[in-house]
Amino acid sequence: MAAVASALRCSLLQRRPLRCGPGARAVAGAGAALRPRSTRGAPGGINKPVIDRIIRVDHAGEFGANRIYAGQMAVLGRSSVAPVIQHMWNQEKDHLKKFNELMVAYRVRPTVLLPFWNVAGFVLGAGSALLGKKGAMACTVAVEESISEHYNNQIRTLIEEDPEKYKELLQVIKQFRDEEQEHHDIGLEHDAEATPAYSVLKTAIQLGCKAAIFLSERI
C-alpha cells in the first residue's frame, strides 16, 4: 500500500506539460480529451468532514471563477482578447458542472456565501477588465496561482487519506489543477506583469482568495 501511495503521489503532483504560445490555447475545447468520467455515488467509509470541506470550497471557487470571467467578458467581450477569455471561461464552466455533480453525489451543502461570491466575483472580473486587457490578465494570474496551490494542497490531503478510495476525486482535482495552471500561464503570456502596480494588485487579489477559501471551507 505504501508503494502504491508513493507512486500515486509522484504521478498526481506532476504537472501536465503545457503547450507554449497563446494561439495554441485560445482554441475552445483544448484539454477536453481528459474529461473526467461521469460521477457515480460516493464511496463508502469516506472521511466525510474532509470531503465535505474539499467539495464545498472547490464548488465555491469554480462558481466564483465563472463570475470573474463573466465580468471580464462584460467589459472586454468585443476586444481582441475576448476569444482567450472565453476559452478559459468555457473550461471553468466545465469545472463548475463537475462540482455540481459531486455536490449531489457526496451530499455536500454549498457554502452560504454563494450570493456574496456571485457579486464579488463579477465585480472583480469587471473591475480588473476596466484596467484594460493587461489588468484582466493580471487578475487571472493572481487567482489561478492561488487556486493551483490550493488544489495541490487538496491532492496531498487525499493521498494521505487513501489514494485508492479517492481515486476519482483525485483525478478530477488533478485535471482541474492543470487547467488552472494553464490559465495562469496564458495570463503571463498576455502581459499580465506589465499592468501598472502589478505586484500590489496581485497581492491584494490573492489575499482575497485566501480569505474566500478559508470562509467557504467552513460556512
Side-chain angles (χ1 to χ4, degrees), residues 22-206:
R25 294 194 184 92
V27 179
L34 289 179
R35 289 266 73 83
R37 65 194 178 198
S38 59
T39 302
R40 298 185 295 273
I46 65 172
N47 187 334
K48 190 75 164 80
V50 169
I51 298 306
D52 281 7
R53 189 166 64 245
I54 286 174
I55 294 177
R56 179 180 302 114
V57 69
D58 289 354
H59 174 265
E62 298 298 350
F63 179 84
N66 270 268
R67 298 301 294 151
I68 289 171
Y69 285 118
Q72 290 185 348
M73 286 297 286
V75 176
L76 298 173
R78 299 188 179 208
S79 71
S80 60
V81 80
V84 178
I85 297 174
Q86 186 65 58
H87 161 66
M88 295 188 287
W89 189 11
N90 288 342
Q91 288 185 321
E92 299 295 354
K93 289 177 181 178
D94 289 340
H95 296 182
L96 181 57
K97 179 180 178 182
K98 185 62 180 180
F99 276 111
N100 279 330
E101 294 171 0
L102 290 171
M103 294 277 282
V104 174
Y106 285 85
R107 299 183 179 182
V108 178
R109 67 163 180 81
T111 174
V112 300
L113 296 172
L114 278 185
F116 179 76
W117 302 145
N118 178 45
V119 175
F122 188 90
V123 169
L124 176 58
S128 64
L130 288 171
L131 297 174
K133 302 171 189 176
K134 294 174 184 177
M137 291 299 165
C139 175
T140 293
V141 168
V143 171
E144 302 296 19
E145 186 175 288
S146 296
I147 297 304
S148 294
E149 179 182 349
H150 173 66
Y151 276 152
N152 271 331
N153 290 337
Q154 290 184 339
I155 289 169
R156 294 186 185 97
T157 296
L158 291 173
I159 289 173
E160 290 170 1
E161 285 284 328
D162 189 332
E164 281 299 321
K165 182 181 294 183
Y166 303 117
K167 184 177 180 180
E168 181 177 0
L169 188 54
L170 279 164
Q171 177 190 355
V172 170
I173 293 175
K174 177 181 180 292
Q175 176 186 329
F176 292 175
R177 185 277 316 275
D178 289 344
E179 292 176 350
E180 306 295 4
Q181 182 64 40
E182 178 188 353
H183 300 171
H184 168 274
D185 294 346
I186 289 173
L188 291 178
E189 289 170 3
H190 285 80
D191 301 321
E193 293 173 306
T195 306
Y198 170 76
S199 296
V200 175
L201 179 63
K202 180 182 176 183
T203 299
I205 292 173
Q206 290 188 329

Side-chain angles (χ1 to χ4, degrees), residues 53 56-57 111 113 117 150 207-219:
R53 189 166 64 245
R56 179 180 302 114
V57 69
T111 174
L113 296 172
W117 302 145
H150 173 66
L207 285 173
C209 288
K210 288 180 181 179
I213 288 169
F214 179 85
L215 292 171
S216 296
E217 283 180 332
R218 290 162 174 79
I219 60 176

